[in-house]
Amino acid sequence: MKLNNLWSLFLACLLLGVLPGCVERPDRGSPGDEDTAGDDDDTAGDDDDTAGDDDDTAGDADDTAGDDDDTAGDDDDTAGDDDDTAGDDDDTAGDDDDTAGDDDDTAGDDDDTAGDDDSTPEPAVDNDGDGFAANDDCDDSDPSVHPSAFEICDGIDNDCDGQVDPTTVCGVTDLLLLDGYDGSVYGTADAGVTWTLAGTAPISAPAKVALVSRADGGVLATTTHGDTWVSQDGGSTWSAGPVGPWGSDGVPSGSPAHNVALDAAATGLFAISTHSSRDGHLYESTDDGGTWNLVATWPMQTGMDTDLAATPLGEVYIGNSPYEGALVYHYDGSSSVLAPVGSYDSSGSGGAANLEVDVTGAMIAAANPEVTFFSSADSGVTWGARGDWIDPRAVGTIANAGAVLYAVSVKGPVLRSEDQGWTWLPVGDWGTVATHNVSSSSGWIDLVSLP
């Protein structure tokens, strides 16, 4: 009877769940720690602190958003979960590893410990806000200095190319001037501001003169008499060179109607000889003035105020004075008889012709006494006014010194232009009042830049 009663009670508990006399018994599994309803800890040492987490064994990894593993060897791979223990790696955007040895491989994740590797580049640092990162900017504290800046002459490497005030921008500062009245040679080392007597060329003075830089670093001087002189020490001492053909090319050498001019190109030296009684002669030398060959002629002139300008590639431009129409001739090696290609000044007034090619390849021409500078960017075909200098002391020569142009008067003033002839500023005065006693501006002085 007692046995039957116990059996009946057991069946009722199974069917009904809870009845008086049926007692709920605790889980006899491994010791655990349950803090929230629904968590089930099955292994000693596991700790569930959030509803829905189910840790079964030490070393298990939670792969659901919001679950964090803080035990070595556990890896969270879901956004929002952070591994903070050495050896654990976060591979999802927004997760950060802050322990040595952990690597973040997703954009936006940062490793903050030495030895950690972020696969996504960090933003570049630009301290001065000029658009160039510090590792590309030679002065990241100055926004005016960066690789795309314009180089100006201020003692600073503005464009980060490793050059401070390069001559291609700021020009050559060492210049040499030859005075044909007595052979005096003046030099400047500060871009025309101050001048000192460097020496005396033993020319057949007084005479119209020409001066040119040679490929060997020296300078060559000559006169309409044909005598040539070479200096290798900045005009201090001179040695005689071969007689130039312009001293005996069919006209009385040294006569007032005779004119000579020199210029240099990468291919060699060029010289012109003009006289009112015959066509102009163009000579070329490929051995620094040792020998000369007649390469071209152009039609006879009524006067002698002619100049030439050679380009680095060996093309030559020849300009007559405005009194003769300011005609411009072009030699490119293809013809030995030259024809005019244009005219730089249609005024019909003005004395000496002065011609030069600037650093951009444009031609610069000037007449006098009230000097207007003209320029051409199409090989002398068309011309336009470019700057002027209203002064009775006429310009006697123009020289290209790197990116800077100089125009010098026979009466002393030295002009400098840093913008290809648009503006000209007086910077100095060569010689003394006593030496400025040449009345004509044509061919009595010449100027070159030194290497």
Side-chain angles (χ1 to χ4, degrees), residues 222-243:
T222 191
T223 73
T224 52
H225 297 284
D227 53 324
T228 65
W229 304 88
V230 177
S231 175
Q232 298 287 352
D233 56 8
S236 179
T237 61
W238 298 81
S239 59
V243 175

Side-chain angles (χ1 to χ4, degrees), residues 193-206:
V193 178
T194 58
W195 296 79
T196 58
L197 183 64
T200 301
I203 61 174
S204 303

Side-chain angles (χ1 to χ4, degrees), residues 55-408:
D55 287 316
D56 295 327
T57 307
D60 289 348
D62 284 316
D63 296 328
T64 304
D67 298 339
D68 292 340
D69 283 316
D70 295 326
T71 304
D74 297 341
D75 293 341
D76 284 316
D77 297 326
T78 305
D81 299 340
D82 293 340
D83 283 317
D84 297 325
T85 305
D88 298 340
D89 293 342
D90 283 316
D91 297 325
T92 305
D95 299 338
D96 294 340
D97 283 316
D98 297 327
T99 305
D102 298 340
D103 292 341
D104 283 315
D105 297 326
T106 305
D109 299 340
D110 294 335
D111 283 316
D112 299 326
T113 307
D116 297 341
D117 179 19
D118 282 316
S119 300
T120 303
E122 294 297 315
V125 176
D126 180 11
N127 294 314
D128 57 11
D130 58 8
F132 291 86
N135 57 342
D136 296 321
D137 195 336
C138 56
D139 187 350
D140 204 34
S141 64
D142 186 345
S144 68
V145 175
H146 52 76
S148 291
F150 288 103
E151 186 68 44
I152 59 177
C153 308
D154 58 356
I156 297 174
D157 179 12
N158 307 98
D159 59 2
C160 297
D161 66 351
Q163 301 183 66
V164 176
D165 296 349
T167 57
T168 54
V169 176
C170 300
V172 178
T173 58
D174 292 351
L175 309 171
L176 208 63
L177 182 143
L178 173 62
D179 182 2
Y181 187 79
D182 60 6
S184 297
V185 179
Y186 297 89
T188 177
D190 58 6
V193 178
T194 58
W195 296 79
T196 58
L197 183 64
T200 301
I203 61 174
S204 303
K208 294 181 179 180
V209 294
L211 192 64
V212 68
S213 294
R214 304 198 328 169
D216 63 0
V219 292
L220 173 70
T222 191
T223 73
T224 52
H225 297 284
D227 53 324
T228 65
W229 304 88
V230 177
S231 175
Q232 298 287 352
D233 56 8
S236 179
T237 61
W238 298 81
S239 59
V243 175
W246 46 88
S248 57
D249 57 1
V251 297
S253 64
S255 68
H258 193 190
N259 187 60
V260 65
L262 295 170
D263 207 356
T267 57
L269 305 180
F270 289 91
I272 58 171
S273 171
T274 60
H275 193 273
S276 59
S277 65
R278 60 150 171 80
D279 290 349
H281 291 177
L282 174 65
Y283 299 96
E284 181 181 13
S285 173
T286 57
D287 57 4
D288 270 343
T291 58
W292 296 86
N293 296 310
L294 180 65
V295 293
T297 62
W298 66 98
M300 183 182 71
Q301 307 167 92
T302 59
M304 68 295 181
D305 299 319
T306 305
D307 198 12
L308 85 161
T311 71
L313 297 179
E315 296 186 48
V316 178
Y317 296 91
I318 301 166
N320 292 350
S321 80
Y323 287 134
E324 297 155 355
L327 296 177
V328 176
Y329 299 84
H330 179 207
Y331 170 76
D332 61 4
S334 63
S335 176
S336 60
V337 178
L338 308 182
V341 294
S343 173
Y344 63 87
D345 184 1
S346 60
S347 67
S349 63
N354 295 282
L355 209 60
E356 188 55 277
V357 177
D358 72 15
V359 69
T360 69
M363 295 174 58
I364 306 294
N368 59 66
E370 292 188 350
V371 177
T372 297
F373 295 91
F374 302 91
S375 68
S376 172
D378 58 3
S379 301
V381 177
T382 59
W383 293 79
R386 181 181 289 194
D388 55 24
W389 183 51
I390 307 302
D391 193 292
R393 297 169 296 181
V395 166
T397 184
I398 302 177
N400 179 358
V404 175
L405 292 170
Y406 290 89
V408 183

